[in-house]
Amino acid sequence: MNSTFRARTASTVAALLVVGGAAVMVAPQASAGGDGNKVHNCFGRWYNTDWDQKCSSPGAAYAGTYESKANCSFEPDNYMSHWRKKGSTATYDGHDCDWSVTGVQTWFYQ
């Protein structure tokens, strides 16, 4: 009876390991990252679940509001707007996505 109990326990543990491994393989993987469209030297940059709004040198070409939208997987997209003065090179951190960011679009309003 003791060997039967051990065999059933080993069989159950093996089955649970297989099911657990399959669940891990089905979970979505985070994207690597990249840069979104540039608007007057400003753009969104994303990395896995994090994203930022940035302006490359020599900074924002025009003063005004720069709005960026991060496309999040399996959840609503995240938005942020910042008024920038001409020449601004500030980096603003966007609200992280839970699963992954697949891209960032940026718009300009005066």
Side-chain angles (χ1 to χ4, degrees), residues 27-31 46-51 70-79 94-102:
Q29 299 297 314
S31 60
W46 75 94
Y47 334 74
N48 294 322
T49 59
D50 183 38
W51 66 285
N71 302 320
C72 299
S73 299
F74 307 112
E75 64 185 289
D77 296 335
N78 290 328
Y79 291 82
H95 181 74
D96 290 359
C97 298
D98 293 329
W99 293 99
S100 67
V101 182
T102 59

Side-chain angles (χ1 to χ4, degrees), residues 9-105:
T9 301
S11 175
T12 302
V13 168
L16 289 174
L17 288 174
V18 169
V19 170
V24 169
M25 292 181 73
V26 171
Q29 299 297 314
S31 60
D35 290 346
N37 64 308
K38 273 196 176 180
V39 179
H40 307 306
N41 296 328
C42 298
F43 59 98
R45 176 171 287 165
W46 75 94
Y47 334 74
N48 294 322
T49 59
D50 183 38
W51 66 285
D52 301 321
Q53 185 189 85
K54 307 172 75 74
C55 294
S56 57
S57 184
Y62 298 97
T65 301
Y66 292 81
E67 181 177 52
S68 297
K69 175 184 82 165
N71 302 320
C72 299
S73 299
F74 307 112
E75 64 185 289
D77 296 335
N78 290 328
Y79 291 82
M80 82 162 117
S81 294
H82 287 283
W83 188 90
R84 292 178 178 272
K85 66 180 183 176
K86 184 176 179 180
S88 168
T89 57
T91 297
Y92 296 104
D93 186 35
H95 181 74
D96 290 359
C97 298
D98 293 329
W99 293 99
S100 67
V101 182
T102 59
V104 179
Q105 289 80 40

